[in-house]
Amino acid sequence: METPLTGEAKEKAEAAALAAYPGTVVKSEEDAENPGMYAVEITGRPTTARSRTSAAITRGQNT
């Protein structure tokens, strides 16, 4: 089960994801399959932005 992000981690992860992939955030959560990573799903994009920290997007992955 993936835990939703909250607080500053949520704000930073979503801001970084939207800077890399403009759109609207659907959800942001800890990535259960990749410990230590966050996942931010954005509408209108066939990708989930993933970051190792809440401030930098390390890769996009097709969803």
Side-chain angles (χ1 to χ4, degrees), residues 16-44:
L18 291 171
Y21 303 100
T24 302
V25 172
V26 175
K27 62 182 175 180
S28 54
E29 58 201 8
E30 293 180 20
D31 188 341
E33 296 173 4
N34 299 295
M37 304 242 338
Y38 299 134
V40 179
E41 186 176 330
I42 301 169
T43 59

Side-chain angles (χ1 to χ4, degrees), residues 3 5 8 17 21 24-26 29-30 35-37 40-41 45 48 51 53 59-60 62-63:
T3 305
L5 294 179
E8 188 176 350
Y21 303 100
T24 302
V25 172
V26 175
E29 58 201 8
E30 293 180 20
M37 304 242 338
V40 179
E41 186 176 330
R45 299 281 177 183
T48 298
S51 64
T53 68
R59 64 186 166 110
N62 289 339
T63 55

